[in-house]
Amino acid sequence: MKEIVLEARRNLARANRILYLKGIVDGFGHVSCRHPEIAGHYLISCNRAPNLVKEADIVELDEESNPVGGDTRRLYLERFIHGEIYRTRPDVQAVVHSHSAAMITIAATDVSVKPMFHMAGFLTRTAKFDIREATGRETDMLIRDHDLGRHLADTLGPASAVLMVGHGSTMVGTSLEEAIYRAVYAEVNAGMQLGAMRVSDRVRYLSETESDLATETNRGQLKRCWDLWCEEVDIDA
Ligand SMILES: [Zn+2]
């Protein structure tokens, strides 16, 4: 296997541990990255709790979210979230799906998630997906096939995040570092927003322009967080 692929697999194992360390995932939730050499393919762990994921657990899935090379390991049921987003968003290099609590709490209300501070400016464009409305029926809430994945990817559109009512959220990034950063700060922001909304119904959020300017600045700072978090989860991948 080429070094560039090995490096992607190592970083993906680290990303899994980081998301657990930061409380974004528990036994559930998953993160993927686009294959560094085959644009239609992506890398994701086999069906394991994120904090247990090692480099050897990473599988390569094709455009249809099927395993490459006859890999028979059990896969995540909701891998179609990742596959359909990679199909519709060529700019996306990494995807995080989680069930983090504050994001779900806001999704259950008629209030939109909004950026409270400069670290979360990317939330100014956030979509909201209600599986009941999308399908016109009641389901187990999971994105368990291509059709549901496509519905979710269509709802995400050009946004950086999609809230999933009664379920969780999915964040995308133009790099693995950015997707992890967004997943962490979206949950921090959602907790702050819920706190502010308890105190006042006149909360001052970032404007779209402030959000865009902050997002641009932070894009150059991602490595600082990534390096710190990698150090914290230092593993023998
Ligand atoms: Zn889920």
Side-chain angles (χ1 to χ4, degrees):
M1 203 177 289
K2 284 191 182 169
E3 180 54 33
I4 190 173
V5 181
L6 290 170
E7 184 63 20
R9 291 162 63 102
R10 272 195 292 275
N11 282 332
L12 197 53
R14 290 185 180 110
N16 273 275
R17 308 294 183 104
I18 290 169
L19 290 171
Y20 176 77
L21 177 81
K22 296 297 169 190
I24 307 303
V25 297
D26 45 24
F28 302 100
H30 20 85
V31 51
S32 69
C33 67
R34 200 181 280 281
H35 192 286
E37 292 195 307
I38 310 169
H41 292 197
Y42 63 100
L43 304 175
I44 190 167
S45 171
C46 62
N47 193 319
R48 270 175 88 74
N51 201 43
L52 303 180
V53 170
K54 294 192 170 190
E55 192 185 324
D57 297 312
I58 306 296
V59 294
E60 178 182 343
L61 303 187
D62 66 14
E63 292 88 345
E64 301 303 322
S65 294
N66 291 322
V68 169
D71 201 320
T72 56
R73 283 176 290 182
R74 190 173 168 211
L75 302 172
Y76 291 129
L77 199 60
E78 295 197 286
R79 60 191 180 279
F80 305 99
I81 293 172
H82 304 258
E84 296 308 315
I85 289 175
Y86 289 124
R87 194 199 298 277
T88 57
R89 284 280 300 271
D91 61 309
V92 167
Q93 295 298 321
V95 177
V96 176
H97 170 66
S98 74
H99 309 149
S100 63
M103 291 286 273
I104 296 175
T105 307
I106 293 182
T109 73
D110 59 355
V111 174
S112 306
V113 68
K114 292 179 186 154
M116 295 284 296
F117 70 143
H118 66 298
M119 304 300 284
F122 59 90
L123 287 174
T124 200
R125 287 179 194 83
T126 304
K128 189 167 173 177
F129 175 80
D130 187 331
I131 196 167
R132 197 189 300 162
E133 283 174 14
T135 61
R137 60 189 163 89
E138 291 174 290
T139 66
D140 65 1
M141 314 304 285
L142 301 183
I143 306 297
R144 51 171 60 252
D145 59 34
H146 288 106
D147 259 9
L148 289 167
R150 211 162 296 134
H151 273 304
L152 181 72
D154 288 346
T155 303
L156 172 70
S160 51
V162 54
L163 291 171
M164 301 158 74
V165 178
H167 180 171
S169 59
T170 297
M171 321 294 302
V172 300
T174 56
S175 65
L176 182 61
E177 291 86 344
E178 187 172 61
I180 297 298
Y181 164 92
R182 286 178 170 178
V184 170
Y185 280 103
E187 181 64 12
V188 170
N189 188 91
M192 292 164 74
Q193 186 177 343
L194 289 169
M197 283 162 45
R198 272 196 290 273
V199 175
S200 170
D201 56 4
R202 288 174 298 148
V203 180
R204 192 277 199 199
Y205 300 104
L206 264 65
S207 71
E208 263 192 42
T209 302
E210 288 168 338
S211 297
D212 288 344
L213 290 169
T215 299
E216 203 44 50
T217 300
N218 286 335
R219 197 161 271 149
Q221 303 287 335
L222 297 176
K223 193 172 181 313
R224 209 156 84 191
C225 290
W226 175 256
D227 288 348
L228 171 67
W229 295 339
C230 282
E231 183 72 25
E232 288 178 305
V233 296
D234 196 14
I235 52 166
D236 233 0

